[in-house]
């Protein structure tokens, strides 16, 4: 995750804080975009993971996935979200850029969205917490297991869930 810009000589990797996973109360089958450095401070409860050297955009995905993709570039998240939506089973953590075109393209496809209360303070590769970032995040859920996990997180005080309900023609 790259919501912040790295200082010269520092990593621009940022890890999802453990309280997010504590609130979700799930274990993922696969983390599709895990960093290769600072791994001692990762808190993703997952059975397997892919790093940049395995290229999660093209490597096979299966099961219930966690995706906290690289946040680089204006539309850098788009290929990751396209792959995530195609997979259809997991939770993605992305910037909550609700005015961005890609947000309007992908959010309506979700089964549920969770907007965490306040701004999520991510963990640096050295284990320290970042300051309040410029943007909030949204957890995008696909599939029934994701919906249940996001509802757990809401019950546990992480934030507010909105569910996308397909309307039937009258």
């Amino acid at each position: 995750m790259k919501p912040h810009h790295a200082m010269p000589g520092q990593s621009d990797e940022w890890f999802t804080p453990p309280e997010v996973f504590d609130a979700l109360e799930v274990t993922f089958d696969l983390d599709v975009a895990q960093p290769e450095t600072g791994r001692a401070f990762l808190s993703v409860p997952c059975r397997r993971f892919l790093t940049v050297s395995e290229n999660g955009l093209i490597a096979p995905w299966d099961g219930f996935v966690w995706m906290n993709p690289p946040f680089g570039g204006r539309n850098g998240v788009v290929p990751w979200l396209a792959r995530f939506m195609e997979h259809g089973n997991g939770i993605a953590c992305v910037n909550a850029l609700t005015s961005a075109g890609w947000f309007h393209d992908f959010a309506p496809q979700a089964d549920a969205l969770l907007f965490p209360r306040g701004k999520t303070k991510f963990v640096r590769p050295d284990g320290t917490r970042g300051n309040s970032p410029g943007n909030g995040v949204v957890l995008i859920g696909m599939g029934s297991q994701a919906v249940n996990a996001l509802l757990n997180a809401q019950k546990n005080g992480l934030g507010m869930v909105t569910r996308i309900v397909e309307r039937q023609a009258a």
Side-chain angles (χ1 to χ4, degrees):
M1 165 163 230
K2 300 179 183 184
H4 304 279
H5 297 287
M7 299 298 291
Q10 294 181 344
S11 171
D12 57 1
E13 296 281 4
W14 293 79
F15 310 150
T16 308
E19 57 270 15
V20 169
F21 302 112
D22 292 344
L24 291 169
E25 299 179 349
V26 294
T27 297
F28 295 91
D29 295 313
L30 179 65
D31 179 345
V32 300
Q34 203 168 93
E36 292 187 290
T37 60
R39 300 178 56 75
F41 299 101
L42 287 171
S43 59
V44 181
C46 65
R47 293 179 179 88
R48 295 179 298 105
F49 59 87
L50 300 170
T51 63
V52 67
S53 62
E54 289 134 347
N55 193 348
L57 276 176
I58 61 171
W61 292 10
D62 59 78
F64 186 53
V65 303
W66 169 256
M67 185 182 80
N68 179 351
F71 279 30
R74 182 176 175 194
N75 290 311
V77 72
V78 169
W80 289 94
L81 280 172
R83 177 86 192 269
F84 176 78
M85 293 298 183
E86 180 182 310
H87 180 70
N89 185 18
I91 298 175
C93 177
V94 297
N95 274 325
L97 300 177
T98 59
S99 62
W102 62 259
F103 188 89
H104 288 263
D105 293 340
F106 291 106
Q109 298 177 48
D111 292 321
L113 304 170
L114 182 138
F115 292 90
R117 181 180 298 274
K119 292 184 179 171
T120 304
K121 293 181 179 170
F122 287 83
V123 179
R124 295 180 180 101
D126 66 4
T128 61
R129 291 287 175 124
N131 295 325
S132 187
N135 297 312
V137 296
V138 60
L139 301 181
I140 299 174
M142 293 295 291
S144 61
Q145 190 174 2
V147 170
N148 290 335
L150 294 178
L151 290 171
N152 279 341
Q154 177 178 265
K155 176 189 71 172
N156 290 328
L158 185 64
M160 172 190 73
V161 170
T162 62
R163 292 187 70 177
I164 309 300
V165 178
E166 191 165 328
R167 290 179 171 68
Q168 300 292 324

PDB file of all heavy atoms in Angstrom, residues 70-91:
ATOM      1  N   PRO A  70      -0.690  -2.000  -4.379  1.00  0.00           N
ATOM      2  CA  PRO A  70       0.121  -0.777  -4.445  1.00  0.00           C
ATOM      3  C   PRO A  70      -0.770   0.387  -4.856  1.00  0.00           C
ATOM      4  O   PRO A  70      -1.601   0.253  -5.749  1.00  0.00           O
ATOM      5  CB  PRO A  70       1.146  -1.086  -5.543  1.00  0.00           C
ATOM      6  CG  PRO A  70       1.129  -2.564  -5.700  1.00  0.00           C
ATOM      7  CD  PRO A  70      -0.228  -3.033  -5.292  1.00  0.00           C
ATOM      8  N   PHE A  71      -0.632   1.512  -4.179  1.00  0.00           N
ATOM      9  CA  PHE A  71      -1.484   2.666  -4.441  1.00  0.00           C
ATOM     10  C   PHE A  71      -0.841   3.628  -5.428  1.00  0.00           C
ATOM     11  O   PHE A  71      -1.278   4.746  -5.550  1.00  0.00           O
ATOM     12  CB  PHE A  71      -1.771   3.413  -3.135  1.00  0.00           C
ATOM     13  CG  PHE A  71      -2.869   2.834  -2.288  1.00  0.00           C
ATOM     14  CD1 PHE A  71      -3.155   1.487  -2.284  1.00  0.00           C
ATOM     15  CD2 PHE A  71      -3.617   3.658  -1.469  1.00  0.00           C
ATOM     16  CE1 PHE A  71      -4.150   0.964  -1.494  1.00  0.00           C
ATOM     17  CE2 PHE A  71      -4.626   3.154  -0.672  1.00  0.00           C
ATOM     18  CZ  PHE A  71      -4.895   1.808  -0.680  1.00  0.00           C
ATOM     19  N   GLY A  72       0.202   3.237  -6.117  1.00  0.00           N
ATOM     20  CA  GLY A  72       0.951   4.138  -6.984  1.00  0.00           C
ATOM     21  C   GLY A  72       0.144   4.659  -8.167  1.00  0.00           C
ATOM     22  O   GLY A  72      -0.676   3.958  -8.733  1.00  0.00           O
ATOM     23  N   GLY A  73       0.391   5.913  -8.512  1.00  0.00           N
ATOM     24  CA  GLY A  73      -0.214   6.499  -9.699  1.00  0.00           C
ATOM     25  C   GLY A  73      -1.687   6.804  -9.550  1.00  0.00           C
ATOM     26  O   GLY A  73      -2.381   6.234  -8.722  1.00  0.00           O
ATOM     27  N   ARG A  74      -2.165   7.680 -10.406  1.00  0.00           N
ATOM     28  CA  ARG A  74      -3.552   8.141 -10.342  1.00  0.00           C
ATOM     29  C   ARG A  74      -4.549   6.997 -10.492  1.00  0.00           C
ATOM     30  O   ARG A  74      -5.560   6.939  -9.805  1.00  0.00           O
ATOM     31  CB  ARG A  74      -3.766   9.185 -11.427  1.00  0.00           C
ATOM     32  CG  ARG A  74      -5.133   9.754 -11.433  1.00  0.00           C
ATOM     33  CD  ARG A  74      -5.234  10.850 -12.458  1.00  0.00           C
ATOM     34  NE  ARG A  74      -6.602  11.317 -12.548  1.00  0.00           N
ATOM     35  CZ  ARG A  74      -7.031  12.055 -13.527  1.00  0.00           C
ATOM     36  NH1 ARG A  74      -6.231  12.440 -14.480  1.00  0.00           N
ATOM     37  NH2 ARG A  74      -8.280  12.429 -13.554  1.00  0.00           N
ATOM     38  N   ASN A  75      -4.301   6.101 -11.420  1.00  0.00           N
ATOM     39  CA  ASN A  75      -5.210   4.979 -11.657  1.00  0.00           C
ATOM     40  C   ASN A  75      -4.512   3.638 -11.455  1.00  0.00           C
ATOM     41  O   ASN A  75      -4.925   2.630 -12.013  1.00  0.00           O
ATOM     42  CB  ASN A  75      -5.787   5.063 -13.080  1.00  0.00           C
ATOM     43  CG  ASN A  75      -6.754   6.227 -13.218  1.00  0.00           C
ATOM     44  OD1 ASN A  75      -7.641   6.407 -12.396  1.00  0.00           O
ATOM     45  ND2 ASN A  75      -6.555   7.030 -14.240  1.00  0.00           N
ATOM     46  N   GLY A  76      -3.462   3.627 -10.639  1.00  0.00           N
ATOM     47  CA  GLY A  76      -2.690   2.417 -10.417  1.00  0.00           C
ATOM     48  C   GLY A  76      -3.494   1.265  -9.825  1.00  0.00           C
ATOM     49  O   GLY A  76      -3.161   0.099 -10.016  1.00  0.00           O
ATOM     50  N   VAL A  77      -4.555   1.581  -9.125  1.00  0.00           N
ATOM     51  CA  VAL A  77      -5.377   0.561  -8.483  1.00  0.00           C
ATOM     52  C   VAL A  77      -6.325  -0.125  -9.477  1.00  0.00           C
ATOM     53  O   VAL A  77      -6.831  -1.215  -9.209  1.00  0.00           O
ATOM     54  CB  VAL A  77      -6.152   1.176  -7.298  1.00  0.00           C
ATOM     55  CG1 VAL A  77      -7.263   2.089  -7.771  1.00  0.00           C
ATOM     56  CG2 VAL A  77      -6.678   0.128  -6.358  1.00  0.00           C
ATOM     57  N   VAL A  78      -6.545   0.475 -10.639  1.00  0.00           N
ATOM     58  CA  VAL A  78      -7.541  -0.029 -11.589  1.00  0.00           C
ATOM     59  C   VAL A  78      -7.287  -1.476 -12.021  1.00  0.00           C
ATOM     60  O   VAL A  78      -8.196  -2.305 -11.938  1.00  0.00           O
ATOM     61  CB  VAL A  78      -7.695   0.920 -12.797  1.00  0.00           C
ATOM     62  CG1 VAL A  78      -8.522   0.294 -13.911  1.00  0.00           C
ATOM     63  CG2 VAL A  78      -8.316   2.238 -12.346  1.00  0.00           C
ATOM     64  N   PRO A  79      -6.083  -1.859 -12.475  1.00  0.00           N
ATOM     65  CA  PRO A  79      -5.910  -3.261 -12.870  1.00  0.00           C
ATOM     66  C   PRO A  79      -6.087  -4.232 -11.699  1.00  0.00           C
ATOM     67  O   PRO A  79      -6.589  -5.344 -11.885  1.00  0.00           O
ATOM     68  CB  PRO A  79      -4.495  -3.329 -13.443  1.00  0.00           C
ATOM     69  CG  PRO A  79      -3.825  -2.064 -13.060  1.00  0.00           C
ATOM     70  CD  PRO A  79      -4.886  -1.066 -12.750  1.00  0.00           C
ATOM     71  N   TRP A  80      -5.712  -3.798 -10.513  1.00  0.00           N
ATOM     72  CA  TRP A  80      -5.906  -4.641  -9.327  1.00  0.00           C
ATOM     73  C   TRP A  80      -7.393  -4.827  -9.033  1.00  0.00           C
ATOM     74  O   TRP A  80      -7.843  -5.943  -8.753  1.00  0.00           O
ATOM     75  CB  TRP A  80      -5.193  -4.035  -8.119  1.00  0.00           C
ATOM     76  CG  TRP A  80      -3.714  -4.132  -8.192  1.00  0.00           C
ATOM     77  CD1 TRP A  80      -2.838  -3.191  -8.660  1.00  0.00           C
ATOM     78  CD2 TRP A  80      -2.925  -5.264  -7.812  1.00  0.00           C
ATOM     79  NE1 TRP A  80      -1.561  -3.666  -8.572  1.00  0.00           N
ATOM     80  CE2 TRP A  80      -1.582  -4.929  -8.059  1.00  0.00           C
ATOM     81  CE3 TRP A  80      -3.223  -6.508  -7.273  1.00  0.00           C
ATOM     82  CZ2 TRP A  80      -0.529  -5.797  -7.785  1.00  0.00           C
ATOM     83  CZ3 TRP A  80      -2.183  -7.380  -6.997  1.00  0.00           C
ATOM     84  CH2 TRP A  80      -0.858  -7.028  -7.254  1.00  0.00           C
ATOM     85  N   LEU A  81      -8.160  -3.744  -9.075  1.00  0.00           N
ATOM     86  CA  LEU A  81      -9.602  -3.850  -8.809  1.00  0.00           C
ATOM     87  C   LEU A  81     -10.312  -4.659  -9.891  1.00  0.00           C
ATOM     88  O   LEU A  81     -11.243  -5.411  -9.584  1.00  0.00           O
ATOM     89  CB  LEU A  81     -10.228  -2.469  -8.671  1.00  0.00           C
ATOM     90  CG  LEU A  81     -10.036  -1.813  -7.312  1.00  0.00           C
ATOM     91  CD1 LEU A  81     -10.528  -0.371  -7.332  1.00  0.00           C
ATOM     92  CD2 LEU A  81     -10.729  -2.612  -6.215  1.00  0.00           C
ATOM     93  N   ALA A  82      -9.893  -4.525 -11.133  1.00  0.00           N
ATOM     94  CA  ALA A  82     -10.500  -5.319 -12.203  1.00  0.00           C
ATOM     95  C   ALA A  82     -10.286  -6.806 -11.926  1.00  0.00           C
ATOM     96  O   ALA A  82     -11.221  -7.613 -12.040  1.00  0.00           O
ATOM     97  CB  ALA A  82      -9.913  -4.929 -13.557  1.00  0.00           C
ATOM     98  N   ARG A  83      -9.085  -7.160 -11.547  1.00  0.00           N
ATOM     99  CA  ARG A  83      -8.775  -8.571 -11.238  1.00  0.00           C
ATOM    100  C   ARG A  83      -9.561  -9.032 -10.009  1.00  0.00           C
ATOM    101  O   ARG A  83     -10.089 -10.143  -9.964  1.00  0.00           O
ATOM    102  CB  ARG A  83      -7.260  -8.716 -11.014  1.00  0.00           C
ATOM    103  CG  ARG A  83      -6.814 -10.111 -10.620  1.00  0.00           C
ATOM    104  CD  ARG A  83      -6.575 -10.996 -11.822  1.00  0.00           C
ATOM    105  NE  ARG A  83      -6.412 -12.383 -11.485  1.00  0.00           N
ATOM    106  CZ  ARG A  83      -5.258 -12.989 -11.218  1.00  0.00           C
ATOM    107  NH1 ARG A  83      -4.134 -12.310 -11.266  1.00  0.00           N
ATOM    108  NH2 ARG A  83      -5.226 -14.263 -10.923  1.00  0.00           N
ATOM    109  N   PHE A  84      -9.634  -8.179  -8.987  1.00  0.00           N
ATOM    110  CA  PHE A  84     -10.355  -8.496  -7.760  1.00  0.00           C
ATOM    111  C   PHE A  84     -11.837  -8.739  -8.042  1.00  0.00           C
ATOM    112  O   PHE A  84     -12.422  -9.722  -7.575  1.00  0.00           O
ATOM    113  CB  PHE A  84     -10.173  -7.353  -6.756  1.00  0.00           C
ATOM    114  CG  PHE A  84     -10.941  -7.532  -5.485  1.00  0.00           C
ATOM    115  CD1 PHE A  84     -10.482  -8.395  -4.504  1.00  0.00           C
ATOM    116  CD2 PHE A  84     -12.113  -6.831  -5.269  1.00  0.00           C
ATOM    117  CE1 PHE A  84     -11.194  -8.567  -3.319  1.00  0.00           C
ATOM    118  CE2 PHE A  84     -12.823  -6.993  -4.091  1.00  0.00           C
ATOM    119  CZ  PHE A  84     -12.363  -7.863  -3.116  1.00  0.00           C
ATOM    120  N   MET A  85     -12.455  -7.857  -8.809  1.00  0.00           N
ATOM    121  CA  MET A  85     -13.878  -8.006  -9.127  1.00  0.00           C
ATOM    122  C   MET A  85     -14.127  -9.269  -9.944  1.00  0.00           C
ATOM    123  O   MET A  85     -15.123  -9.956  -9.735  1.00  0.00           O
ATOM    124  CB  MET A  85     -14.392  -6.775  -9.874  1.00  0.00           C
ATOM    125  CG  MET A  85     -14.402  -5.517  -9.044  1.00  0.00           C
ATOM    126  SD  MET A  85     -15.495  -5.677  -7.618  1.00  0.00           S
ATOM    127  CE  MET A  85     -15.372  -4.072  -6.893  1.00  0.00           C
ATOM    128  N   GLU A  86     -13.214  -9.561 -10.849  1.00  0.00           N
ATOM    129  CA  GLU A  86     -13.340 -10.783 -11.648  1.00  0.00           C
ATOM    130  C   GLU A  86     -13.251 -12.021 -10.755  1.00  0.00           C
ATOM    131  O   GLU A  86     -14.000 -12.975 -10.929  1.00  0.00           O
ATOM    132  CB  GLU A  86     -12.235 -10.824 -12.700  1.00  0.00           C
ATOM    133  CG  GLU A  86     -12.281 -12.052 -13.586  1.00  0.00           C
ATOM    134  CD  GLU A  86     -11.129 -12.048 -14.583  1.00  0.00           C
ATOM    135  OE1 GLU A  86     -10.930 -11.025 -15.260  1.00  0.00           O
ATOM    136  OE2 GLU A  86     -10.433 -13.076 -14.654  1.00  0.00           O
ATOM    137  N   HIS A  87     -12.362 -11.976  -9.761  1.00  0.00           N
ATOM    138  CA  HIS A  87     -12.226 -13.107  -8.825  1.00  0.00           C
ATOM    139  C   HIS A  87     -13.504 -13.270  -7.997  1.00  0.00           C
ATOM    140  O   HIS A  87     -13.981 -14.382  -7.802  1.00  0.00           O
ATOM    141  CB  HIS A  87     -11.004 -12.911  -7.925  1.00  0.00           C
ATOM    142  CG  HIS A  87     -10.809 -14.014  -6.949  1.00  0.00           C
ATOM    143  ND1 HIS A  87     -10.419 -15.276  -7.335  1.00  0.00           N
ATOM    144  CD2 HIS A  87     -10.978 -14.067  -5.604  1.00  0.00           C
ATOM    145  CE1 HIS A  87     -10.340 -16.057  -6.266  1.00  0.00           C
ATOM    146  NE2 HIS A  87     -10.682 -15.340  -5.207  1.00  0.00           N
ATOM    147  N   GLY A  88     -14.038 -12.159  -7.469  1.00  0.00           N
ATOM    148  CA  GLY A  88     -15.346 -12.160  -6.817  1.00  0.00           C
ATOM    149  C   GLY A  88     -15.429 -12.755  -5.431  1.00  0.00           C
ATOM    150  O   GLY A  88     -16.530 -13.054  -4.966  1.00  0.00           O
ATOM    151  N   ASN A  89     -14.305 -12.916  -4.721  1.00  0.00           N
ATOM    152  CA  ASN A  89     -14.343 -13.536  -3.396  1.00  0.00           C
ATOM    153  C   ASN A  89     -13.222 -12.982  -2.534  1.00  0.00           C
ATOM    154  O   ASN A  89     -12.097 -13.473  -2.585  1.00  0.00           O
ATOM    155  CB  ASN A  89     -14.210 -15.057  -3.521  1.00  0.00           C
ATOM    156  CG  ASN A  89     -14.359 -15.767  -2.195  1.00  0.00           C
ATOM    157  OD1 ASN A  89     -14.878 -15.231  -1.225  1.00  0.00           O
ATOM    158  ND2 ASN A  89     -13.884 -17.001  -2.149  1.00  0.00           N
ATOM    159  N   GLY A  90     -13.536 -11.926  -1.767  1.00  0.00           N
ATOM    160  CA  GLY A  90     -12.516 -11.379  -0.889  1.00  0.00           C
ATOM    161  C   GLY A  90     -12.813  -9.961  -0.452  1.00  0.00           C
ATOM    162  O   GLY A  90     -13.917  -9.452  -0.636  1.00  0.00           O
ATOM    163  N   ILE A  91     -11.785  -9.351   0.151  1.00  0.00           N
ATOM    164  CA  ILE A  91     -11.872  -7.978   0.634  1.00  0.00           C
ATOM    165  C   ILE A  91     -10.668  -7.213   0.107  1.00  0.00           C
ATOM    166  O   ILE A  91      -9.528  -7.682   0.213  1.00  0.00           O
ATOM    167  CB  ILE A  91     -11.922  -7.919   2.177  1.00  0.00           C
ATOM    168  CG1 ILE A  91     -13.182  -8.632   2.693  1.00  0.00           C
ATOM    169  CG2 ILE A  91     -11.865  -6.465   2.668  1.00  0.00           C
ATOM    170  CD1 ILE A  91     -13.261  -8.741   4.204  1.00  0.00           C
TER     171      ILE A  91
END
